[in-house]
Amino acid sequence: MLAQTDTPIADFLPMFAYVNVPVAFLVPTPNGYRKSIMDATSPVRQLLFDSRTHDYCSQKQGPANKVQLPAHFVCANTTIDTTVSLYRPITKHGDPRIWFQNLKKYCSPHNLLALIILNHDIYVFNLSSTELSTSLRSHGFAYSILQEAANVENSIANELRMRIQEIHNQGFLSSITRGDPGVGDTLENALGINRNNLRTPDYKGIELKTIRLNRNGSARQQTRSTLFTKVPDNGMTYHQILDAFGKMQIPRGKTIARWQLYDTLKINRLNSYGLGLGLNSDKSTLQIIARNNQSIRCISSWLINALSKELNTKHKETFWVYASSEMRDGVEYFRYDKIQHTKRPNATLLVPLIEAGKITVDLAAHRKPNGGYRDHGMLFKIWQDDIPTLLGTPEIYDLSIQ
């Protein structure tokens, strides 16, 4: 569709990147323009989903389930109020559709339309309009809409940064949890966040990740951070994998053996449980592979598209918070000293990073002596040094400098 536009999209990408506002593009085809219908492309659907404006996946088909929302056409010196219809027809597999009331008065076929979200309203920019493009380039009225959207986009991040700054100013806080979870649990407790197992981001749409620092202020070497957890889409369940491939072992620090599976899955390499990772021929599926006598077979798998969606949902915006730690009378204390702020991961790099061994999967499951089952999720982890590759160059906040 974008290939049919009458205006080069590359002319405007730097502007949207500079203001750091999420954007999606549409180009009305002559047929769609005539019928008052446009396909809601994947970028449009993702924009609506990420902004919590609309979720086509949960929308049922048919006219009765059509959703109408406020929208605005942006002109060189004003905006024109309109409404947008979001729906899935009963025909054609319910492919998502979108249409703006009075769009024919605002644009022509093949015009390049940019969509942004501001306070859950959709704003439409006709980039093929000479007057509008001039207003954008000269930082006029149209550009002020982008700036307003950028300010709203950044307001929660600024709020969270200031709250963590206040926590840093309190000095070292005693851990509320023993062991590795303490560094994250203590920060969330200070922020008033209740611990939960939800897969959604922690703070008003921002994911929080905590990392211990060495005494010299650097991140601990050979440290991996969890990107997200996800059970396979197909094949054996977590329970079945544990039952089939686990071992009777005595956990570290314990005296009673249990049936467990605690290890890392790596690409094209089998671990001590005979398990590893593989990719299918077209790299659309990530597989859990297992040794079967003298051969290797796939026992479970994830769709790469599903993993990409998980990454984009979990890490649309993330604060990686680095903490200094020290022990006092057997209790660990933390001071939160630095933040790396990342936004909008490049999900197309998931497969290359998995192939390079930079992203791995940890299995952490066991059966209790009484037969009860427990797992900590299938943990997709990335090495600290590779976070900027996947999530972009971060903004760095040194909390010791105010």
Side-chain angles (χ1 to χ4, degrees):
M1 183 184 297
L2 291 180
Q4 302 176 25
T5 183
D6 56 13
T7 302
I9 190 173
D11 291 352
F12 294 92
L13 290 178
M15 180 182 302
F16 286 99
Y18 178 77
V19 295
N20 204 18
V21 171
V23 61
F25 299 95
L26 282 175
V27 177
T29 64
N31 189 47
Y33 188 83
R34 177 176 56 83
K35 293 182 176 180
S36 299
I37 187 173
M38 289 188 291
D39 291 333
T41 60
S42 178
V44 171
R45 299 196 300 271
Q46 193 67 48
L47 177 73
L48 295 172
F49 178 81
D50 288 346
S51 63
R52 294 171 173 79
T53 301
H54 182 69
D55 181 8
Y56 276 104
C57 291
S58 63
Q59 185 177 15
K60 295 181 180 179
Q61 294 174 237
N65 300 300
K66 179 187 295 186
V67 173
Q68 291 190 311
L69 298 174
H72 312 273
F73 297 132
V74 180
C75 301
N77 297 300
T78 188
T79 59
I80 301 172
D81 295 340
T82 185
T83 58
V84 60
S85 297
L86 311 170
Y87 55 99
R88 298 180 61 215
I90 295 176
T91 58
K92 294 188 177 181
H93 311 292
D95 292 341
R97 308 294 193 204
I98 185 171
W99 185 255
F100 296 89
Q101 184 181 16
N102 296 323
L103 184 66
K104 293 179 180 179
K105 297 180 180 179
Y106 181 68
C107 71
S108 301
H110 301 301
N111 282 177
L112 178 62
L113 307 180
L115 276 56
I116 69 168
I117 308 295
L118 176 55
N119 297 324
H120 299 290
D121 287 9
I122 302 177
Y123 284 75
V124 184
F125 294 74
N126 184 358
L127 302 181
S128 297
S129 163
T130 302
E131 292 79 8
L132 183 99
S133 62
T134 299
S135 181
L136 286 171
R137 291 192 171 96
S138 64
H139 291 195
F141 174 80
Y143 189 81
S144 72
I145 302 294
L146 292 184
Q147 286 184 310
E148 184 179 355
N151 291 336
V152 171
E153 179 83 6
N154 295 328
S155 62
I156 295 175
N158 291 335
E159 171 189 311
L160 179 57
R161 179 168 62 88
M162 294 308 299
R163 291 198 62 187
I164 298 177
Q165 178 71 65
E166 292 171 358
I167 293 170
H168 164 84
N169 294 344
Q170 296 175 30
F172 282 88
L173 305 178
S174 61
S175 178
I176 67 167
T177 308
R178 294 181 63 87
D180 289 341
V183 63
D185 289 350
T186 303
L187 177 60
E188 291 187 358
N189 180 70
L191 288 167
I193 301 172
N194 294 323
R195 188 178 184 184
N196 60 65
N197 294 319
L198 298 177
R199 285 158 47 196
T200 52
D202 301 302
Y203 188 92
K204 299 181 181 180
I206 298 178
E207 177 70 5
L208 281 168
K209 291 293 183 181
T210 47
I211 300 119
R212 287 175 171 84
L213 291 169
N214 288 317
R215 291 185 180 277
N216 63 4
S218 63
R220 294 188 177 179
Q221 296 297 313
Q222 304 303 315
T223 297
R224 293 176 302 147
S225 290
T226 300
L227 288 169
F228 53 83
T229 65
K230 193 177 189 315
V231 296
D233 300 305
N234 300 292
M236 296 176 67
T237 66
Y238 211 160
H239 287 231
Q240 292 169 336
I241 293 173
L242 171 63
D243 290 342
F245 297 94
K247 296 179 181 179
M248 187 64 72
Q249 296 174 318
I250 300 176
R252 185 174 58 184
K254 305 290 185 180
T255 58
I256 300 176
R258 67 186 183 188
W259 191 259
Q260 66 177 32
L261 201 171
Y262 280 74
D263 210 335
T264 298
L265 303 182
K266 300 178 181 178
I267 193 74
N268 298 327
R269 186 188 306 175
L270 299 181
N271 60 20
S272 61
Y273 293 88
L275 299 171
L277 297 176
L279 289 161
N280 68 337
S281 58
D282 66 359
K283 299 182 181 180
S284 64
T285 302
L286 177 65
Q287 304 171 335
I288 298 179
I289 57 175
R291 182 186 294 113
N292 182 22
N293 295 324
Q294 299 303 315
S295 63
I296 301 297
R297 64 188 175 101
C298 169
I299 61 170
S300 292
S301 63
W302 297 270
L303 298 173
I304 294 298
N305 285 343
L307 296 179
S308 297
K309 182 176 181 180
E310 196 73 28
L311 175 68
N312 285 322
T313 299
K314 190 71 171 176
H315 288 286
K316 176 192 173 188
E317 188 169 8
T318 305
F319 270 31
W320 306 82
V321 185
Y322 291 79
S324 301
S325 67
E326 60 180 41
M327 297 298 294
R328 301 178 186 175
D329 299 324
V331 177
E332 191 170 17
Y333 283 71
F334 301 107
R335 187 186 65 208
Y336 300 92
D337 291 339
K338 185 175 74 170
I339 299 169
Q340 286 191 355
H341 181 195
T342 59
K343 299 176 72 173
R344 301 185 194 94
N346 187 350
T348 61
L349 295 179
L350 266 177
V351 168
L353 286 169
I354 290 171
E355 289 183 297
K358 305 297 186 179
I359 293 177
T360 54
V361 179
D362 277 17
L363 301 186
H366 67 266
R367 291 201 179 277
K368 301 176 184 179
N370 64 6
Y373 169 85
R374 185 182 182 191
D375 72 63
H376 301 279
M378 291 187 172
L379 311 167
F380 282 74
K381 294 195 170 190
I382 187 170
W383 293 102
Q384 282 292 311
D385 289 346
D386 298 304
I387 289 175
T389 302
L390 181 65
L391 302 180
T393 302
E395 291 186 72
I396 308 296
Y397 309 126
D398 186 343
L399 303 180
S400 63
I401 302 175
Q402 298 185 48

